[in-house]
Amino acid sequence: FTLTSCGSQPSTCAVGPYSALLAMLRAVEAGCQATMMVPTEVLAHQHITTFQALTNGLTVTTPEVSDRSQRS
């Protein structure tokens, strides 16, 4: 991956989500399911937007589920 939109300093780029995405894609490739949990809804939205852009064209689903979406 090319991390070009992460800010002006390379050190501001978080590589963790990209590593997690690669691991999740490998799990899906092996026939498993994968999920990622993050501590805040803001962070979840940021990651899902990035993941959807990076997986565009692949046959994977990247839904966003939060505690808020589970409330009745």
Side-chain angles (χ1 to χ4, degrees), residues 1-65:
F1 295 105
T2 304
L3 304 175
T4 56
S5 60
C6 297
S8 59
Q9 300 293 325
S11 61
T12 64
C13 298
V15 179
Y18 296 93
S19 299
L21 177 60
L22 286 173
M24 289 187 293
L25 289 173
R26 293 294 302 257
V28 170
E29 183 179 57
C32 299
Q33 294 181 350
T35 188
M36 180 176 179
M37 295 179 65
V38 295
T40 68
E41 288 186 42
V42 171
L43 191 56
H45 183 70
Q46 291 172 348
H47 288 334
I48 197 70
T49 300
T50 300
F51 288 179
Q52 287 172 338
L54 292 171
T55 59
N56 186 25
L58 299 178
T59 55
V60 295
T61 305
T62 53
E64 181 175 358
V65 178

